[in-house]
Amino acid sequence: MYPSTEPAIRHRRRGAALVFAAVMLAASVPLAPSAAPRVEPFDAEVWSRLKSTLPRPAVVVFTTSYCATCPEVFEGLGAEIRTRRPGAPLVAVVLDGESLGRRPREAHLARADRLFVFRGQQEAALRHAIDPSWRGVTPWVALIGADGAVTFGGGTPTRDRLETWARGEGMR
Amino acid sequence: MVNRSSLRAPLRAAALVVAFVAVATGATRASAHEGHGRAAGAGTARPALAVSAAFAPDGRLWVTGLDERRRLFVQSSGDEGRSWGPRTLPPLGAEQPAAHGEQRPKLAFAADGRTVVLAWTRPLAKPYTGEIRMSRSEDGGQTFGAPFTVHRDRQQITHRFESIAFDARGRLHVLWVDKRDAELARAAAAAAGRAKSDWRGAAIWRVVSEDGGRSFSPDLRLADHSCECCRIALAPAPDGGLVALWRHVFEGSERDHAFAAVGDAAAPSPAIVRASRDRWAINACPHHGPGLAPAEGGGYHAVWFGERGGVAAVRYGRLGADGVPAGEARVLPDPSAEHADVVAAGQRVAVVWRSFDGSATRLRAWVSDDGGERFVLRELGRSPAPNDHPRLARRDDRVVVVWRTDPEIRVVPID
């Protein structure tokens, strides 16, 4: 009978609403930190493609899991980009990718717009393919200008280099 | 009021749905990343090739490194690497020494030939942290004891990039890069409401053992403001102690090199001498520590990597007995040179390095027979395989280069 069944229906509706809410919650809220970018593979071919496909200008930071100065430089570059060229991508490439799990432990890497790892055998060959003058210093920072030109350097770029990059002027 | 029991079923269902979606979502994400991992890594872990080498007092050449399962091993050869004895695995359990950048296991022999010590950095859970560990042998390297931590500070912070050596008086010295002071400075800055501390880099700390590593002194500070990621070079001093050369962070973030005497535990903190004048101002990790060897007639031979006047290069220079540069540094004849080492035996001075030429890595040497006045370039080897930094070992007048290339350990004499 209706009066007697009404509470049960209400309960079923509440139950259904709870289930629906739970589904929405589980589907929409990531289980791991949502800011962590998806880990992507990296090698010399990826770098070659990346230079032409990344939105410009962009900053690419080559780092390692054992580089103690990298987090501070990375955070500083992030702040510079937000100030000088909001929206420009900040990309991280970890050279010793075998130590990186599915998600980076390092907070600064989680703030990269894209995160790549190199899991190949020959780091020296990769460095040579990216920049033959790179002797292993990290962070090794690539500033990709609006014209696609790439300049490299170790650590935080000088103010002049950053200003040139941010103005979108040719960096060749 | 709603009957609680009437909601249990929907709640259970909701919980099940949450769990299902969570597992499914997680599984999907995991699969995606594993797929990327396979694509990126071609299914093979990068070998940990970092080795150290030393001659035992009886003339056998010993190496220590990590095997294909990343277990610490020691191995010796009686014929300079033409054949090797079986590998011995010290009892580290699941502990895996760090072997990246300039991190490598080390070994050192006491003069009696019976006491052998191994040292390495054990990475801790937090990034950039570690402990300096040691295992000892009292039977000439046949067996090794349980590992232990050499320093008293047990914070989960940087204690990395150890170097070890026995001095002429039989004291065992362990030096490492340590961030306890940097952490204190950071905490003080935070307490004062400042976002950053003004501490530069890390620091060099050390311990000394008078009994071959059975016991150690309290932790001793050698120098503030070292670079964070570079190896420390040690060499014998004329007074029977040691001297150390390391990359320092001078004012203006100039990562030149500093030199100091390393004495016994009672010795006061030594004066720090600036031993290179590249004035390379950089906020980064070069991952290139120096090399140091005593020169016949006094002073030292040194090699290091740095940028000077816009030219990044490995340089060779002479230091006085006090560590002050003597004369102009010379650039090695190879713009791709990296991770150089130096040793001297009488008037012979050997500098070795590796350099990648676009298709393979070359092992090269610069050899002098007149105490470093003139050098001759030699090609010692080439490998297309992954490889380690070359390391020199010396016994009396005999000098060899030990170079681990996947999957072999090459020993090249410098005759």
Side-chain angles (χ1 to χ4, degrees), chain A:
Chain A
M1 294 185 310
Y2 192 82
S4 64
T5 56
E6 193 179 5
I9 291 169
R10 273 209 306 273
H11 293 165
R12 277 192 213 110
R13 283 178 183 158
R14 279 184 194 156
L18 270 171
V19 171
F20 178 74
V23 170
M24 295 309 290
L25 182 70
S28 64
V29 179
L31 301 170
S34 59
R38 182 170 63 91
V39 174
E40 302 178 66
F42 189 85
D43 57 23
E45 287 182 17
V46 172
W47 170 241
S48 189
R49 282 199 305 272
L50 204 59
K51 284 187 290 186
S52 58
T53 57
L54 271 178
R56 297 173 188 164
V59 177
V60 181
V61 180
F62 297 92
T63 181
T64 61
S65 67
Y66 50 87
C67 169
T69 59
C70 288
E72 183 182 337
V73 173
F74 196 87
E75 302 283 8
L77 275 168
E80 292 280 2
I81 289 171
R82 285 193 295 276
T83 303
R84 297 172 186 270
R85 195 73 188 226
L90 176 60
V91 177
V93 179
V94 183
L95 296 184
D96 56 334
E98 70 272 16
S99 62
L100 195 72
R102 290 174 185 148
R103 294 206 181 278
R105 287 188 301 167
E106 297 83 351
H108 65 287
L109 295 180
R111 283 192 271 282
D113 293 300
R114 292 180 72 179
L115 173 60
F116 293 85
V117 298
F118 173 65
R119 293 192 173 100
Q121 303 285 304
Q122 280 271 34
E123 183 194 306
L126 179 74
R127 283 194 275 115
H128 190 272
I130 292 168
D131 176 9
S133 74
W134 180 15
R135 296 279 82 79
V137 174
T138 58
W140 196 246
V141 178
L143 298 181
I144 302 178
D147 59 354
V150 186
T151 61
F152 295 96
T156 307
T158 63
R159 185 178 298 271
D160 286 350
R161 284 187 67 214
L162 277 171
E163 285 177 356
T164 303
W165 169 84
R167 282 197 301 268
E169 294 175 355
M171 299 183 67
R172 292 183 196 277

Side-chain angles (χ1 to χ4, degrees), chain B residues 87-162:
Chain B
R87 287 181 173 177
T88 298
L89 302 178
L92 271 64
E95 183 171 335
Q96 288 191 340
H100 50 232
E102 292 207 309
Q103 291 271 19
R104 64 187 57 245
K106 319 287 189 316
L107 78 168
F109 291 88
D112 64 10
R114 304 295 298 167
T115 304
V116 190
V117 294
L118 305 172
W120 64 93
T121 296
R122 173 169 68 178
L124 302 176
K126 198 172 156 189
Y128 322 116
T129 66
E131 289 181 337
I132 310 305
R133 305 277 284 167
M134 182 169 281
S135 176
R136 299 179 65 253
S137 170
E138 293 188 345
D139 57 11
Q142 302 307 304
T143 61
F144 285 85
F148 57 91
T149 301
V150 303
H151 44 83
R152 298 188 183 179
D153 182 58
R154 289 294 197 272
Q155 297 177 81
Q156 193 178 8
I157 60 171
T158 290
H159 313 87
R160 303 197 295 167
F161 299 98
E162 77 289 343

